[in-house]
Amino acid sequence: MSHNVLPVLHFHQPVGQLDDAIRRICEHSYGMLLDFISSRKIPFTLHISGPLLEWMAKNRPDLVERVRELVQTGKVELLGGTMYEAILPIIPEMDGLSQIALYKKAVKELFGITPNGFWLPERVWEPHLTSLLSRAGVRYVLLDDYHFRQAGIRDPRHSYVTEDSGKRLRVFPINEEIRYLMPWREPREAYSLLKRRAGDPSSLTVVFADAEKFGEWTEPEWARWWLEEFYSKVEADPELVVRKLGDYASEFPPRGLAYFPSAAYDKMVRWSRGHFRNFLARYPESNNMHKKMLYVREKIEVASNRGLEASKLEEAWQHLYRGQCNDAYWHGMFGGVYLPNLREAIYRNLIRAEAIADEKVLAGKAVIERDFDYDGRNELILETRELSAYVDPWEGGNVFELDWKEGTHNFADTLSQPWEAYHDKIGNPPIDWYRRTLFRDHIFRREDDAKSLYERKPFIDAGDFTVEPFEVVEKTDEPGVLLRRKGRNWSSNVTLVVEKKVRIAEGSLEVEYRLIGEERDSFFFCPEVDFALDPGTTPACSSESGEAELKELVRVEGRKFSFRGPSYGLEVELSEGASCYAGPLLVVAITERGRQELVEGTVFLPCFYVELPGERTLSIRARPKTA
């Protein structure tokens, strides 16, 4: 009995990955793997993602040259993919075709070949991809055992053909059991698995692993030993024939026809609660990036129709495609959407693409009313060439995106603490009951309630203005919008009207409040402002009371505050003095490094003491700046 062994390695680093991290992984993992492949007689199939290829070509051309030599000598087959590792089902079909073409072009230029196979990012599959991939010239793709089991094939040991609208595609199964064995268990266990699977001459096992398993997620010495032990056994066994995917496809026909339902690998299905698109519903921050991508894409198409210069148009599309890189859009055992450097990179690229398109799209100022987040209710976008503010009147009139186009930064790129299934393993951190954005309005009975809110401790938000809907009273050409809500201070059971005017003026975002009450009342009014500066750094705050690093909640005094990181800053000015607190916005998650407390932004809590009856007006101005 013989058996075909098809080794596949996937090398990937996302858009926004830290430069030092990529250099370390190249040293400990990628270089070692290329050394190992060069030293063996057996062939391998590799996929190197587009963001990593770009980085290597610029920073480690020696690694690119080594891959080229392995390809030219026939030791390595390269798989195609999307240029920026986009999840195909959640991007427009034309973008998918363009990304595949861009990746083919890059591989042709760097390595002199055109790939026939395809690496499907995160193995996120939907049936219509058969037609898309076939149109793109793809001959075969890799899915997981999980997909095959969902299609009724319990123990896949062969490749199959699938079909959509008359288009065909060959599909190879990645063996799940060996994927979990290597390199965490002894090499002999993985080898024994291959022996048990031996059958007819066309039987196969795809031995797949993320390259980072070897030397990054494990110690380099262990990884090299594991590879040597495992593949030495495989090489010495005459019943095991090691092949590249393309060579196998040329020699053996598929076993038959199969139709695969929407799925991904087993853990991704569990993390997403059954369907990858659920991440967009589960994390509003993911949905925000995704819908921003679609919004910017519309602008690029309009700019194209209006004659945007070809070189600028090409640059805008490239930034958009980089903004489709999948890693920031989901979370499971890995940081994903929790990692601010990945989100920041997505927004940086999308805002840059938007700024280019605005040359032909945005005349100067605009107030756009549309269902931006696709939840069935309209939001408002206040736009200028310098600054854009996204306002949700249905949820407290909060500003959920604040884009500084000159600095290509979204100051509202924060993350709230969501509920995760693993929370019982990490102490059940308290969950945010609203999305942390700019200008969420609270009413406190006492000043100390601000500290309880910050620490996510039980307290009474005595108003109903934080997440409740506001009426859109007027849209102005500043651009701006006037919102109004008639609610209550429930601690005193007194009716309160809050008028809230959000506008962009002179490169700043200004929110003006008018509090109206006919009965005697007193309370603290706190428009919470949560914002993001440089990811992964501790911002500083300076005011009339001095300067402080925001490593914890601190009291800051005055009317003018300057928050700054290494690159970005935000100047905040109050119309009058208030009791103010500021500190880091912290969330807890399990990432590839275990339990981590991550800084997702900065919390600023100005508490204005208000006495009624009558009217009270106050305002807050926020101005982006370079640090």
Side-chain angles (χ1 to χ4, degrees), residues 287 291 371-379 392 394-395:
N287 191 54
K291 301 313 183 285
D371 183 6
F372 172 81
D373 57 9
Y374 289 72
D375 68 347
R377 305 178 301 187
N378 283 352
E379 290 76 40
D392 187 353
W394 294 94
E395 202 175 294

Side-chain angles (χ1 to χ4, degrees), residues 149-307:
R149 291 196 299 272
Q150 296 303 303
I153 304 168
R154 296 181 61 186
D155 184 21
R157 302 191 187 196
H158 298 84
S159 65
Y160 286 77
V161 165
T162 192
E163 171 273 336
D164 177 63
S165 300
K167 302 294 184 182
R168 288 175 290 186
L169 183 68
R170 191 164 180 175
V171 185
F172 284 88
I174 294 172
N175 183 265
E176 178 183 299
E177 188 175 357
I178 204 166
R179 180 163 61 85
Y180 287 131
L181 288 175
M182 62 187 307
W184 316 117
R185 305 289 289 272
E186 290 292 327
R188 65 176 179 273
E189 295 187 46
Y191 171 71
S192 297
L193 173 66
L194 294 179
K195 296 295 288 182
R196 293 197 305 271
R197 289 177 58 82
D200 66 78
S202 65
S203 67
L204 65 86
T205 299
V206 175
V207 181
F208 163 77
D210 290 305
E212 297 77 21
K213 281 186 176 182
F214 301 99
E216 172 63 10
W217 302 345
T218 56
E219 290 297 322
E221 294 78 11
W222 165 267
R224 180 68 189 233
W225 173 83
W226 200 100
L227 290 165
E228 292 283 359
E229 285 289 309
F230 175 69
Y231 281 107
S232 291
K233 293 179 183 294
V234 172
E235 276 186 320
D237 192 327
E239 294 183 348
L240 299 180
V241 182
V242 184
R243 302 178 189 270
K244 295 175 288 189
L245 284 176
D247 291 343
Y248 177 95
S250 297
E251 183 161 348
F252 298 104
R255 174 53 59 101
L257 175 67
Y259 288 95
F260 303 96
S262 297
Y265 58 85
D266 59 323
K267 285 186 176 178
M268 180 66 80
V269 171
R270 187 162 67 251
W271 295 333
S272 65
R273 301 174 192 174
H275 196 288
F276 185 85
R277 297 183 192 230
N278 285 338
F279 285 119
L280 304 180
R282 182 176 169 193
Y283 297 105
E285 297 85 359
S286 295
N287 191 54
N288 208 114
M289 288 185 290
H290 183 257
K291 301 313 183 285
K292 174 71 173 183
M293 179 271 293
L294 295 178
Y295 180 56
V296 172
R297 190 185 190 281
E298 287 182 23
K299 283 192 167 188
I300 296 174
E301 288 188 321
V302 172
S304 176
N305 294 333
R306 293 180 180 176

Side-chain angles (χ1 to χ4, degrees), residues 304-599:
S304 176
N305 294 333
R306 293 180 180 176
L308 182 65
E309 184 181 324
S311 61
K312 293 181 179 179
L313 189 62
E314 181 180 358
E315 182 184 356
W317 282 115
Q318 184 182 38
H319 283 295
L320 181 86
Y321 297 150
R322 291 178 67 85
Q324 294 171 341
C325 185
N326 79 81
D327 302 68
Y329 288 91
W330 59 276
H331 173 70
M333 190 192 291
F334 302 93
V337 69
Y338 278 78
L339 299 182
N341 56 299
L342 299 188
R343 298 196 312 270
E344 195 269 344
I346 296 297
Y347 279 114
R348 184 173 65 247
N349 280 285
L350 294 179
I351 295 168
R352 178 58 186 150
E354 181 179 28
I356 295 170
D358 276 348
E359 180 181 321
K360 293 292 185 180
V361 176
L362 186 62
K365 303 175 181 178
V367 178
I368 298 165
E369 188 170 356
R370 63 177 283 160
D371 183 6
F372 172 81
D373 57 9
Y374 289 72
D375 68 347
R377 305 178 301 187
N378 283 352
E379 290 76 40
L380 295 149
I381 307 175
L382 316 181
E383 290 208 80
T384 71
R385 290 286 186 87
E386 294 178 271
L387 205 60
S388 293
Y390 293 58
V391 181
D392 187 353
W394 294 94
E395 202 175 294
N398 79 94
V399 177
F400 60 90
E401 184 167 337
L402 180 60
D403 295 335
W404 185 32
K405 295 176 183 178
E406 179 185 347
T408 59
H409 183 67
N410 173 19
F411 282 91
D413 177 23
T414 58
L415 182 80
S416 309
Q417 178 71 73
W419 178 86
E420 301 289 357
Y422 55 68
H423 273 172
D424 60 334
K425 299 177 182 178
I426 58 173
N428 288 310
I431 308 305
D432 282 320
W433 54 278
Y434 57 91
R435 182 180 171 192
R436 296 297 191 107
T437 53
L438 289 82
F439 300 103
R440 293 279 192 178
D441 305 327
H442 307 280
I443 290 178
F444 299 148
R445 293 183 297 182
R446 56 185 184 272
E447 182 186 322
D448 279 352
D449 286 341
K451 298 179 184 178
S452 297
L453 179 147
Y454 173 81
E455 296 170 354
R456 301 185 177 97
K457 292 180 178 178
F459 79 101
I460 296 176
D461 189 334
D464 53 8
F465 302 93
T466 306
V467 296
E468 290 78 9
F470 276 64
E471 173 192 0
V472 179
V473 177
E474 181 185 15
K475 292 179 284 186
T476 64
D477 60 5
E478 293 165 297
V481 58
L482 177 61
L483 307 173
R484 187 176 190 271
R485 175 173 174 78
K486 185 177 181 180
R488 299 190 77 79
N489 174 3
W490 291 102
S491 65
S492 57
N493 201 27
V494 167
T495 299
L496 177 67
V497 173
V498 174
E499 290 188 351
K500 184 174 183 177
K501 184 176 183 180
V502 185
R503 64 173 186 156
I504 296 175
E506 299 178 352
S508 298
L509 175 68
E510 184 170 306
V511 180
E512 300 172 350
Y513 290 94
R514 184 166 169 246
L515 311 179
I516 307 165
E518 296 180 355
E519 301 175 66
R520 182 179 298 278
D521 201 4
S522 62
F523 51 85
F524 287 94
F525 182 72
C526 176
E528 178 184 358
V529 180
D530 300 323
F531 58 91
L533 298 179
D534 299 76
T537 61
T538 301
C541 174
S542 59
S543 66
E544 289 97 317
S545 61
E547 184 162 328
E549 276 194 306
L550 299 181
K551 295 181 179 180
E552 58 185 3
L553 185 69
V554 297
R555 175 116 182 213
V556 290
E557 301 288 349
R559 290 182 49 241
K560 295 182 179 181
F561 304 87
S562 179
F563 298 93
R564 62 185 185 280
S567 303
Y568 306 108
L570 193 68
E571 292 180 342
V572 179
E573 182 176 354
L574 312 180
S575 58
E576 57 187 79
S579 302
C580 300
Y581 300 88
L585 174 59
L586 302 172
V587 303
V588 178
I590 289 180
T591 74
E592 55 268 39
R593 298 187 180 277
R595 183 189 189 278
Q596 284 190 290
E597 188 175 64
L598 301 167
V599 178

